[in-house]
């Protein structure tokens, strides 16, 4: 009988510690993702579009879906940003409002939020949903839907 109680106690303690590890990992993942988004705000606001793109997966498989349709690839996405935002007056100051970060699995999250551009060329606001995936130990945006 004592063995049965000890086993149950061991099981409960084991499950609790596993759950705490998952929660700790998830908290760390979310902090890293938020750091990337904050770096993107800074880069964009400095009209550093290449720096902004550091948050994205540098691959031809990157997907960006915006008002102009679907774009494939890191280079194509950067080219589009450079065309649409050629000067500091066009990029302005970027701020994000993060409304949700949800885990998809151990290696990916989706982030839903808002973007706000204050700029002399006219303010712009919208919403986005991006997917982050851990690639070679680094969190990268693999898909972005912004409108």
């Amino acid at each position: 009988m004592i063995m049965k109680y000890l086993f149950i106690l061991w099981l409960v303690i084991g499950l609790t510690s596993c759950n705490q590890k998952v929660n700790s990992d998830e908290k760390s993942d979310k902090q890293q993702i938020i750091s990337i988004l904050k770096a993107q705000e800074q880069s964009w606001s400095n009209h550093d579009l290449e720096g902004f793109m550091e948050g994205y997966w540098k691959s031809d498989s990157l997907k960006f879906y915006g008002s102009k349709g679907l774009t494939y690839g890191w280079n194509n996405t950067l080219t589009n940003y450079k065309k649409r935002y050629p000067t500091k007056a066009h990029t302005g100051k970027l701020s994000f409002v993060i409304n949700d970060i949800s885990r998809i699995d151990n290696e990916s999250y989706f982030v839903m939020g808002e973007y706000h551009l204050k700029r002399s060329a006219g303010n712009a606001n919208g919403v986005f949903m991006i997917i982050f995936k851990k690639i070679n130990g680094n969190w990268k945006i693999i898909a972005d839907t912004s409108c």
Side-chain angles (χ1 to χ4, degrees), residues 12 16 63 89 92 101 104 108 121 131 133:
V12 168
T16 302
K63 294 179 179 116
I101 301 176
I104 298 169
S108 54
I131 298 175
K133 183 171 180 68

Side-chain angles (χ1 to χ4, degrees), residues 52-75:
F52 176 80
M53 288 295 295
E54 287 299 313
Y56 287 87
W57 182 28
K58 198 166 191 174
S59 167
D60 290 340
S61 297
L62 170 68
K63 294 179 179 116
F64 182 93
Y65 189 64
S67 63
K68 303 287 184 193
L70 184 60
T71 299
Y72 289 94
W74 191 91
N75 286 320

Side-chain angles (χ1 to χ4, degrees), residues 1-83:
M1 193 68 153
I2 291 176
M3 291 303 284
K4 181 179 174 183
Y5 289 117
L6 287 175
F7 176 74
I8 291 171
L9 180 62
W10 173 79
L11 186 61
V12 168
I13 290 171
L15 290 175
T16 302
S17 65
C18 285
N19 190 35
Q20 289 173 347
K21 171 128 175 61
V22 168
N23 289 339
S24 173
D25 289 348
E26 190 169 338
K27 184 177 180 184
S28 174
D29 293 345
K30 288 179 179 183
Q31 288 172 337
Q32 290 174 45
I33 288 168
I34 289 169
S35 291
I36 292 166
L37 294 169
K38 290 207 175 295
Q40 283 189 305
E41 284 176 328
Q42 257 327 103
S43 293
W44 184 274
S45 297
N46 291 327
H47 191 64
D48 176 8
L49 298 177
E50 287 85 358
F52 176 80
M53 288 295 295
E54 287 299 313
Y56 287 87
W57 182 28
K58 198 166 191 174
S59 167
D60 290 340
S61 297
L62 170 68
K63 294 179 179 116
F64 182 93
Y65 189 64
S67 63
K68 303 287 184 193
L70 184 60
T71 299
Y72 289 94
W74 191 91
N75 286 320
N76 292 334
T77 301
L78 176 59
T79 298
N80 286 346
Y81 276 136
K82 286 182 174 182
K83 284 179 190 171

Side-chain angles (χ1 to χ4, degrees), residues 84-121:
R84 293 193 64 202
Y85 303 94
T87 68
K88 175 88 169 106
H90 291 89
T91 53
K93 179 173 175 20
L94 173 65
S95 61
F96 291 130
V97 175
I98 306 305
N99 295 317
D100 183 63
I101 301 176
S102 291
R103 185 182 213 150
I104 298 169
D105 59 31
N106 288 340
E107 299 294 314
S108 54
Y109 287 81
F110 69 83
V111 178
M112 295 166 48
E114 306 164 25
Y115 66 86
H116 301 279
L117 284 177
K118 291 187 188 265
R119 56 194 188 156
S120 58

